[in-house]
Structure formats: structure tokens, C-alpha cells
Amino acid sequence: DAGVIQSPRHEVTEMGQEVTLRCKPISGHNSLFWYRQTMMRGLELLIYFNNNVPIDDSGMPEDRFSAKMPNASFSTLKIQPSEPRDSAVYFCASSHSGSLYEQYFGPGTRLTVT
Amino acid sequence: QQQVKQSPQSLIVQKGGISIINCAYENTAFDYFPWYQQFPGKGPALLIAIRPDVSEKKEGRFTISFNKSAKQFSLHIMDSQPGDSATYFCAARSGSARQLTFGSGTQLTVLP
């Protein structure tokens, strides 16, 4: 039973480069969440989708960040251009409407921007 | 008003001891309070959750105590084990909202 799948697991890039993080939610889940985790700010919700539609993107730090969910089984989080302060672990989580309470998190992508 | 305040930031407990992590909230619309456990290199995973219509929920060695009037809830880990060493997050959700508001996390270390 596959959980939430994220790729890549680790990403090292130089400042100014474009970074794309990918997520495959659990099959049948209709809500998807992107989080960012840092020591300083903890776990922050960036954006969430319901039925592939962005519902709340108020956590997206700035215009350099964008997220898409073209279908129920795939989402991307893009950072362009990347900056050193974007270095963090980015998590994707999914849930289904029958269990609004429990979010299933992926293993995360550790992003380092040098 | 959307914040959930969590304490302590870190906690060290001897094996067999009781670990207690506290959270407080302001938003009275919150109606679901889960706790998530995160091991290094992994994503958070749901540990236990409670609704405000009960004052306590117990699952094995893990217990949530809930005080609605004080707007506080806590996680108690009885007979703490080294394998419990992880970061614990409290969270809260309001109504039909799908998003959770997370606390800042508590890094628990259980010494052997």
C-alpha cells in the first residue's frame, strides 16, 4: 500500500535556479497539502488543494513560489528563482473527505539552495 | 487567533518516566485536536486525536487530556521508551476546514 510519494528526496541547487518538487498523493485522496519545515519556523502550510483546485494559498511566501495540481494523482511545487532562505524540508500530505482529520505525509524533499 | 502554542520546545525523560507536552489555543471554533509524531528523516504521522466533547482519550501508553474551559490540551506518554524519541506536534482544525494549524513541535528524548 503506497503512501504519499515525493521526489526528489534531496535537491541541491544554486541560487537563482528553478526547483520543481513533485508529489503523488494516496490514491482516492482528494485533498493535498504542501508544507515547509524549518528549525526557525516549524511546520508551515504553504497551500492546499481540494479536488485539484487550490483552496488556500495564503501561506505561499511570495511570487517565486507556485503550485499546480493538474490531476488527482500529481502535484508540483515550483520555486523560481530559488534563494538560500528557501532551504528547508518540503512535505506533501494528502487526505480524503471521509477522514478530514488525518493527513498522510510523504517522506519530504530536503532542499538546499547554495 | 489561529495559533496553537506548544511547550516545551524540548524534553528529556528517563526510560520509564512520563512525558508531558502541552498545547494551548485561542480559536474556540477548533473542533479536532490531533497529535502527530515525527521521526528524523520522516514525515509527521498521526498518533492520536481528540474531539472537545471528551476530556480524555487513551491509546496504549499515549493519552490526550483536554480542558475545554482553559482551551488547553496535553499529550502524556506513560512508561516512556527510547523508541518514543521523536518530535511531537499538536494541531487543531476548525469546522469543515481541511487544513490543520500545527504547534511549533517538541523534541522528546528518552534516555535508556
PDB file of all heavy atoms in Angstrom, chain A residues 41-70:
ATOM      1  N   ARG A  41      10.931  28.191  11.831  1.00  0.00           N
ATOM      2  CA  ARG A  41       9.502  28.470  11.651  1.00  0.00           C
ATOM      3  C   ARG A  41       8.609  27.251  11.841  1.00  0.00           C
ATOM      4  O   ARG A  41       7.387  27.365  11.757  1.00  0.00           O
ATOM      5  CB  ARG A  41       9.276  29.087  10.273  1.00  0.00           C
ATOM      6  CG  ARG A  41      10.048  30.385  10.050  1.00  0.00           C
ATOM      7  CD  ARG A  41       9.859  30.891   8.624  1.00  0.00           C
ATOM      8  NE  ARG A  41       8.496  31.335   8.391  1.00  0.00           N
ATOM      9  CZ  ARG A  41       8.053  32.569   8.636  1.00  0.00           C
ATOM     10  NH1 ARG A  41       8.879  33.481   9.111  1.00  0.00           N
ATOM     11  NH2 ARG A  41       6.805  32.885   8.378  1.00  0.00           N
ATOM     12  N   GLY A  42       9.230  26.086  12.087  1.00  0.00           N
ATOM     13  CA  GLY A  42       8.426  24.889  12.296  1.00  0.00           C
ATOM     14  C   GLY A  42       7.766  24.424  11.018  1.00  0.00           C
ATOM     15  O   GLY A  42       8.304  24.575   9.922  1.00  0.00           O
ATOM     16  N   LEU A  43       6.563  23.890  11.153  1.00  0.00           N
ATOM     17  CA  LEU A  43       5.824  23.311  10.031  1.00  0.00           C
ATOM     18  C   LEU A  43       4.800  24.341   9.551  1.00  0.00           C
ATOM     19  O   LEU A  43       3.864  24.682  10.260  1.00  0.00           O
ATOM     20  CB  LEU A  43       5.135  22.041  10.520  1.00  0.00           C
ATOM     21  CG  LEU A  43       4.606  21.037   9.511  1.00  0.00           C
ATOM     22  CD1 LEU A  43       5.740  20.522   8.639  1.00  0.00           C
ATOM     23  CD2 LEU A  43       3.944  19.890  10.234  1.00  0.00           C
ATOM     24  N   GLU A  44       4.995  24.819   8.329  1.00  0.00           N
ATOM     25  CA  GLU A  44       4.121  25.845   7.787  1.00  0.00           C
ATOM     26  C   GLU A  44       3.329  25.305   6.609  1.00  0.00           C
ATOM     27  O   GLU A  44       3.903  24.699   5.700  1.00  0.00           O
ATOM     28  CB  GLU A  44       4.941  27.023   7.250  1.00  0.00           C
ATOM     29  CG  GLU A  44       5.873  27.702   8.206  1.00  0.00           C
ATOM     30  CD  GLU A  44       6.705  28.733   7.465  1.00  0.00           C
ATOM     31  OE1 GLU A  44       7.752  28.344   6.894  1.00  0.00           O
ATOM     32  OE2 GLU A  44       6.320  29.922   7.440  1.00  0.00           O
ATOM     33  N   LEU A  45       2.035  25.552   6.592  1.00  0.00           N
ATOM     34  CA  LEU A  45       1.216  25.191   5.440  1.00  0.00           C
ATOM     35  C   LEU A  45       1.424  26.232   4.347  1.00  0.00           C
ATOM     36  O   LEU A  45       1.246  27.424   4.578  1.00  0.00           O
ATOM     37  CB  LEU A  45      -0.253  25.131   5.832  1.00  0.00           C
ATOM     38  CG  LEU A  45      -1.230  24.845   4.694  1.00  0.00           C
ATOM     39  CD1 LEU A  45      -1.017  23.436   4.136  1.00  0.00           C
ATOM     40  CD2 LEU A  45      -2.670  25.014   5.165  1.00  0.00           C
ATOM     41  N   LEU A  46       1.801  25.774   3.162  1.00  0.00           N
ATOM     42  CA  LEU A  46       2.008  26.686   2.040  1.00  0.00           C
ATOM     43  C   LEU A  46       0.733  26.847   1.215  1.00  0.00           C
ATOM     44  O   LEU A  46       0.299  27.957   0.919  1.00  0.00           O
ATOM     45  CB  LEU A  46       3.142  26.183   1.143  1.00  0.00           C
ATOM     46  CG  LEU A  46       4.508  26.024   1.808  1.00  0.00           C
ATOM     47  CD1 LEU A  46       5.518  25.451   0.813  1.00  0.00           C
ATOM     48  CD2 LEU A  46       4.998  27.350   2.355  1.00  0.00           C
ATOM     49  N   ILE A  47       0.128  25.725   0.859  1.00  0.00           N
ATOM     50  CA  ILE A  47      -1.050  25.745   0.003  1.00  0.00           C
ATOM     51  C   ILE A  47      -1.764  24.412   0.134  1.00  0.00           C
ATOM     52  O   ILE A  47      -1.129  23.400   0.458  1.00  0.00           O
ATOM     53  CB  ILE A  47      -0.653  25.996  -1.479  1.00  0.00           C
ATOM     54  CG1 ILE A  47      -1.869  26.129  -2.384  1.00  0.00           C
ATOM     55  CG2 ILE A  47       0.280  24.894  -1.981  1.00  0.00           C
ATOM     56  CD1 ILE A  47      -1.534  26.585  -3.806  1.00  0.00           C
ATOM     57  N   TYR A  48      -3.081  24.435  -0.074  1.00  0.00           N
ATOM     58  CA  TYR A  48      -3.744  23.156  -0.169  1.00  0.00           C
ATOM     59  C   TYR A  48      -4.794  23.158  -1.264  1.00  0.00           C
ATOM     60  O   TYR A  48      -5.354  24.198  -1.609  1.00  0.00           O
ATOM     61  CB  TYR A  48      -4.296  22.674   1.171  1.00  0.00           C
ATOM     62  CG  TYR A  48      -5.668  23.160   1.565  1.00  0.00           C
ATOM     63  CD1 TYR A  48      -6.808  22.422   1.252  1.00  0.00           C
ATOM     64  CD2 TYR A  48      -5.809  24.317   2.303  1.00  0.00           C
ATOM     65  CE1 TYR A  48      -8.060  22.842   1.649  1.00  0.00           C
ATOM     66  CE2 TYR A  48      -7.060  24.747   2.705  1.00  0.00           C
ATOM     67  CZ  TYR A  48      -8.185  24.014   2.385  1.00  0.00           C
ATOM     68  OH  TYR A  48      -9.430  24.443   2.784  1.00  0.00           O
ATOM     69  N   PHE A  49      -4.985  21.977  -1.835  1.00  0.00           N
ATOM     70  CA  PHE A  49      -5.913  21.749  -2.926  1.00  0.00           C
ATOM     71  C   PHE A  49      -7.034  20.824  -2.462  1.00  0.00           C
ATOM     72  O   PHE A  49      -6.811  19.910  -1.659  1.00  0.00           O
ATOM     73  CB  PHE A  49      -5.202  21.050  -4.108  1.00  0.00           C
ATOM     74  CG  PHE A  49      -4.115  21.851  -4.764  1.00  0.00           C
ATOM     75  CD1 PHE A  49      -2.832  21.886  -4.225  1.00  0.00           C
ATOM     76  CD2 PHE A  49      -4.366  22.559  -5.924  1.00  0.00           C
ATOM     77  CE1 PHE A  49      -1.811  22.611  -4.844  1.00  0.00           C
ATOM     78  CE2 PHE A  49      -3.353  23.285  -6.548  1.00  0.00           C
ATOM     79  CZ  PHE A  49      -2.083  23.313  -6.002  1.00  0.00           C
ATOM     80  N   ASN A  50      -8.204  21.065  -2.995  1.00  0.00           N
ATOM     81  CA  ASN A  50      -9.298  20.134  -2.808  1.00  0.00           C
ATOM     82  C   ASN A  50      -9.879  19.821  -4.183  1.00  0.00           C
ATOM     83  O   ASN A  50     -10.241  20.743  -4.921  1.00  0.00           O
ATOM     84  CB  ASN A  50     -10.371  20.719  -1.899  1.00  0.00           C
ATOM     85  CG  ASN A  50     -11.430  19.692  -1.541  1.00  0.00           C
ATOM     86  OD1 ASN A  50     -11.104  18.574  -1.156  1.00  0.00           O
ATOM     87  ND2 ASN A  50     -12.696  20.065  -1.677  1.00  0.00           N
ATOM     88  N   ASN A  51      -9.932  18.546  -4.509  1.00  0.00           N
ATOM     89  CA  ASN A  51     -10.386  18.135  -5.846  1.00  0.00           C
ATOM     90  C   ASN A  51      -9.634  18.876  -6.947  1.00  0.00           C
ATOM     91  O   ASN A  51     -10.228  19.377  -7.910  1.00  0.00           O
ATOM     92  CB  ASN A  51     -11.896  18.353  -5.986  1.00  0.00           C
ATOM     93  CG  ASN A  51     -12.690  17.425  -5.087  1.00  0.00           C
ATOM     94  OD1 ASN A  51     -12.301  16.278  -4.858  1.00  0.00           O
ATOM     95  ND2 ASN A  51     -13.789  17.926  -4.548  1.00  0.00           N
ATOM     96  N   ASN A  52      -8.322  18.978  -6.760  1.00  0.00           N
ATOM     97  CA  ASN A  52      -7.376  19.557  -7.725  1.00  0.00           C
ATOM     98  C   ASN A  52      -7.449  21.077  -7.805  1.00  0.00           C
ATOM     99  O   ASN A  52      -6.732  21.682  -8.600  1.00  0.00           O
ATOM    100  CB  ASN A  52      -7.562  18.982  -9.137  1.00  0.00           C
ATOM    101  CG  ASN A  52      -7.650  17.469  -9.156  1.00  0.00           C
ATOM    102  OD1 ASN A  52      -7.162  16.807  -8.242  1.00  0.00           O
ATOM    103  ND2 ASN A  52      -8.271  16.927 -10.176  1.00  0.00           N
ATOM    104  N   VAL A  53      -8.305  21.712  -7.025  1.00  0.00           N
ATOM    105  CA  VAL A  53      -8.467  23.160  -7.072  1.00  0.00           C
ATOM    106  C   VAL A  53      -7.762  23.784  -5.869  1.00  0.00           C
ATOM    107  O   VAL A  53      -7.979  23.348  -4.738  1.00  0.00           O
ATOM    108  CB  VAL A  53      -9.961  23.545  -7.054  1.00  0.00           C
ATOM    109  CG1 VAL A  53     -10.122  25.055  -7.005  1.00  0.00           C
ATOM    110  CG2 VAL A  53     -10.676  22.957  -8.262  1.00  0.00           C
ATOM    111  N   PRO A  54      -6.918  24.811  -6.099  1.00  0.00           N
ATOM    112  CA  PRO A  54      -6.281  25.464  -4.949  1.00  0.00           C
ATOM    113  C   PRO A  54      -7.323  26.191  -4.104  1.00  0.00           C
ATOM    114  O   PRO A  54      -8.098  26.990  -4.621  1.00  0.00           O
ATOM    115  CB  PRO A  54      -5.287  26.434  -5.607  1.00  0.00           C
ATOM    116  CG  PRO A  54      -5.822  26.674  -6.979  1.00  0.00           C
ATOM    117  CD  PRO A  54      -6.522  25.413  -7.385  1.00  0.00           C
ATOM    118  N   ILE A  55      -7.340  25.887  -2.814  1.00  0.00           N
ATOM    119  CA  ILE A  55      -8.332  26.467  -1.919  1.00  0.00           C
ATOM    120  C   ILE A  55      -7.744  27.618  -1.101  1.00  0.00           C
ATOM    121  O   ILE A  55      -8.381  28.649  -0.913  1.00  0.00           O
ATOM    122  CB  ILE A  55      -8.912  25.398  -0.975  1.00  0.00           C
ATOM    123  CG1 ILE A  55      -9.538  24.255  -1.769  1.00  0.00           C
ATOM    124  CG2 ILE A  55      -9.919  26.024  -0.011  1.00  0.00           C
ATOM    125  CD1 ILE A  55     -10.669  24.684  -2.679  1.00  0.00           C
ATOM    126  N   ASP A  56      -6.553  27.419  -0.612  1.00  0.00           N
ATOM    127  CA  ASP A  56      -5.930  28.436   0.239  1.00  0.00           C
ATOM    128  C   ASP A  56      -4.431  28.460  -0.038  1.00  0.00           C
ATOM    129  O   ASP A  56      -3.742  27.498   0.248  1.00  0.00           O
ATOM    130  CB  ASP A  56      -6.193  28.117   1.708  1.00  0.00           C
ATOM    131  CG  ASP A  56      -5.652  29.193   2.658  1.00  0.00           C
ATOM    132  OD1 ASP A  56      -4.979  30.137   2.182  1.00  0.00           O
ATOM    133  OD2 ASP A  56      -5.893  29.079   3.866  1.00  0.00           O
ATOM    134  N   ASP A  57      -3.977  29.542  -0.624  1.00  0.00           N
ATOM    135  CA  ASP A  57      -2.539  29.679  -0.900  1.00  0.00           C
ATOM    136  C   ASP A  57      -1.941  30.826  -0.090  1.00  0.00           C
ATOM    137  O   ASP A  57      -0.888  31.359  -0.439  1.00  0.00           O
ATOM    138  CB  ASP A  57      -2.281  29.879  -2.388  1.00  0.00           C
ATOM    139  CG  ASP A  57      -2.858  31.186  -2.913  1.00  0.00           C
ATOM    140  OD1 ASP A  57      -3.557  31.879  -2.143  1.00  0.00           O
ATOM    141  OD2 ASP A  57      -2.625  31.516  -4.092  1.00  0.00           O
ATOM    142  N   SER A  58      -2.595  31.178   0.980  1.00  0.00           N
ATOM    143  CA  SER A  58      -2.128  32.321   1.781  1.00  0.00           C
ATOM    144  C   SER A  58      -0.776  32.066   2.433  1.00  0.00           C
ATOM    145  O   SER A  58      -0.092  32.995   2.840  1.00  0.00           O
ATOM    146  CB  SER A  58      -3.160  32.673   2.856  1.00  0.00           C
ATOM    147  OG  SER A  58      -3.381  31.576   3.721  1.00  0.00           O
ATOM    148  N   GLY A  59      -0.370  30.817   2.523  1.00  0.00           N
ATOM    149  CA  GLY A  59       0.919  30.502   3.112  1.00  0.00           C
ATOM    150  C   GLY A  59       2.082  30.535   2.142  1.00  0.00           C
ATOM    151  O   GLY A  59       3.234  30.437   2.554  1.00  0.00           O
ATOM    152  N   MET A  60       1.808  30.695   0.882  1.00  0.00           N
ATOM    153  CA  MET A  60       2.874  30.765  -0.120  1.00  0.00           C
ATOM    154  C   MET A  60       3.665  32.046   0.139  1.00  0.00           C
ATOM    155  O   MET A  60       3.106  33.149   0.114  1.00  0.00           O
ATOM    156  CB  MET A  60       2.293  30.770  -1.532  1.00  0.00           C
ATOM    157  CG  MET A  60       1.565  29.483  -1.862  1.00  0.00           C
ATOM    158  SD  MET A  60       2.692  28.120  -2.139  1.00  0.00           S
ATOM    159  CE  MET A  60       2.754  28.142  -3.927  1.00  0.00           C
ATOM    160  N   PRO A  61       4.972  31.915   0.369  1.00  0.00           N
ATOM    161  CA  PRO A  61       5.746  33.066   0.840  1.00  0.00           C
ATOM    162  C   PRO A  61       5.791  34.232  -0.135  1.00  0.00           C
ATOM    163  O   PRO A  61       5.754  35.374   0.290  1.00  0.00           O
ATOM    164  CB  PRO A  61       7.129  32.483   1.113  1.00  0.00           C
ATOM    165  CG  PRO A  61       7.149  31.129   0.515  1.00  0.00           C
ATOM    166  CD  PRO A  61       5.767  30.687   0.304  1.00  0.00           C
ATOM    167  N   GLU A  62       5.895  33.994  -1.393  1.00  0.00           N
ATOM    168  CA  GLU A  62       5.970  35.083  -2.352  1.00  0.00           C
ATOM    169  C   GLU A  62       5.778  34.545  -3.756  1.00  0.00           C
ATOM    170  O   GLU A  62       5.600  33.340  -3.951  1.00  0.00           O
ATOM    171  CB  GLU A  62       7.326  35.796  -2.215  1.00  0.00           C
ATOM    172  CG  GLU A  62       8.520  34.862  -2.175  1.00  0.00           C
ATOM    173  CD  GLU A  62       9.751  35.537  -1.602  1.00  0.00           C
ATOM    174  OE1 GLU A  62      10.468  36.199  -2.378  1.00  0.00           O
ATOM    175  OE2 GLU A  62       9.989  35.396  -0.393  1.00  0.00           O
ATOM    176  N   ASP A  63       5.812  35.460  -4.710  1.00  0.00           N
ATOM    177  CA  ASP A  63       5.513  35.076  -6.094  1.00  0.00           C
ATOM    178  C   ASP A  63       6.512  34.091  -6.684  1.00  0.00           C
ATOM    179  O   ASP A  63       6.246  33.500  -7.729  1.00  0.00           O
ATOM    180  CB  ASP A  63       5.445  36.317  -6.978  1.00  0.00           C
ATOM    181  CG  ASP A  63       4.247  37.176  -6.641  1.00  0.00           C
ATOM    182  OD1 ASP A  63       3.338  36.670  -5.939  1.00  0.00           O
ATOM    183  OD2 ASP A  63       4.206  38.343  -7.067  1.00  0.00           O
ATOM    184  N   ARG A  64       7.621  33.914  -6.045  1.00  0.00           N
ATOM    185  CA  ARG A  64       8.597  32.947  -6.568  1.00  0.00           C
ATOM    186  C   ARG A  64       8.093  31.512  -6.417  1.00  0.00           C
ATOM    187  O   ARG A  64       8.598  30.605  -7.060  1.00  0.00           O
ATOM    188  CB  ARG A  64       9.926  33.096  -5.822  1.00  0.00           C
ATOM    189  CG  ARG A  64      10.594  34.452  -5.994  1.00  0.00           C
ATOM    190  CD  ARG A  64      11.957  34.493  -5.324  1.00  0.00           C
ATOM    191  NE  ARG A  64      11.871  34.284  -3.879  1.00  0.00           N
ATOM    192  CZ  ARG A  64      12.232  33.174  -3.253  1.00  0.00           C
ATOM    193  NH1 ARG A  64      12.703  32.154  -3.945  1.00  0.00           N
ATOM    194  NH2 ARG A  64      12.128  33.069  -1.936  1.00  0.00           N
ATOM    195  N   PHE A  65       7.098  31.332  -5.555  1.00  0.00           N
ATOM    196  CA  PHE A  65       6.546  30.009  -5.315  1.00  0.00           C
ATOM    197  C   PHE A  65       5.245  29.835  -6.098  1.00  0.00           C
ATOM    198  O   PHE A  65       4.388  30.731  -6.097  1.00  0.00           O
ATOM    199  CB  PHE A  65       6.245  29.817  -3.830  1.00  0.00           C
ATOM    200  CG  PHE A  65       7.454  29.611  -2.968  1.00  0.00           C
ATOM    201  CD1 PHE A  65       8.365  30.636  -2.742  1.00  0.00           C
ATOM    202  CD2 PHE A  65       7.675  28.381  -2.360  1.00  0.00           C
ATOM    203  CE1 PHE A  65       9.483  30.439  -1.938  1.00  0.00           C
ATOM    204  CE2 PHE A  65       8.780  28.178  -1.539  1.00  0.00           C
ATOM    205  CZ  PHE A  65       9.681  29.202  -1.327  1.00  0.00           C
ATOM    206  N   SER A  66       5.098  28.682  -6.719  1.00  0.00           N
ATOM    207  CA  SER A  66       3.838  28.371  -7.390  1.00  0.00           C
ATOM    208  C   SER A  66       3.575  26.872  -7.259  1.00  0.00           C
ATOM    209  O   SER A  66       4.505  26.073  -7.156  1.00  0.00           O
ATOM    210  CB  SER A  66       3.877  28.775  -8.863  1.00  0.00           C
ATOM    211  OG  SER A  66       4.880  28.051  -9.558  1.00  0.00           O
ATOM    212  N   ALA A  67       2.313  26.510  -7.229  1.00  0.00           N
ATOM    213  CA  ALA A  67       1.945  25.103  -7.109  1.00  0.00           C
ATOM    214  C   ALA A  67       0.823  24.793  -8.083  1.00  0.00           C
ATOM    215  O   ALA A  67      -0.032  25.637  -8.345  1.00  0.00           O
ATOM    216  CB  ALA A  67       1.521  24.770  -5.681  1.00  0.00           C
ATOM    217  N   LYS A  68       0.866  23.573  -8.586  1.00  0.00           N
ATOM    218  CA  LYS A  68      -0.165  23.122  -9.511  1.00  0.00           C
ATOM    219  C   LYS A  68      -0.604  21.719  -9.156  1.00  0.00           C
ATOM    220  O   LYS A  68       0.160  20.948  -8.561  1.00  0.00           O
ATOM    221  CB  LYS A  68       0.361  23.153 -10.951  1.00  0.00           C
ATOM    222  CG  LYS A  68       0.650  24.530 -11.494  1.00  0.00           C
ATOM    223  CD  LYS A  68       1.129  24.455 -12.944  1.00  0.00           C
ATOM    224  CE  LYS A  68       1.419  25.844 -13.504  1.00  0.00           C
ATOM    225  NZ  LYS A  68       1.877  25.786 -14.919  1.00  0.00           N
ATOM    226  N   MET A  69      -1.819  21.407  -9.551  1.00  0.00           N
ATOM    227  CA  MET A  69      -2.306  20.042  -9.406  1.00  0.00           C
ATOM    228  C   MET A  69      -3.117  19.721 -10.659  1.00  0.00           C
ATOM    229  O   MET A  69      -4.343  19.916 -10.681  1.00  0.00           O
ATOM    230  CB  MET A  69      -3.141  19.863  -8.137  1.00  0.00           C
ATOM    231  CG  MET A  69      -3.417  18.424  -7.824  1.00  0.00           C
ATOM    232  SD  MET A  69      -4.008  18.205  -6.147  1.00  0.00           S
ATOM    233  CE  MET A  69      -4.065  16.411  -6.059  1.00  0.00           C
ATOM    234  N   PRO A  70      -2.468  19.297 -11.714  1.00  0.00           N
ATOM    235  CA  PRO A  70      -3.145  19.076 -12.986  1.00  0.00           C
ATOM    236  C   PRO A  70      -4.131  17.921 -12.978  1.00  0.00           C
ATOM    237  O   PRO A  70      -5.055  17.897 -13.794  1.00  0.00           O
ATOM    238  CB  PRO A  70      -1.989  18.804 -13.954  1.00  0.00           C
ATOM    239  CG  PRO A  70      -0.867  18.327 -13.092  1.00  0.00           C
ATOM    240  CD  PRO A  70      -1.025  19.027 -11.785  1.00  0.00           C
TER     241      PRO A  70
END
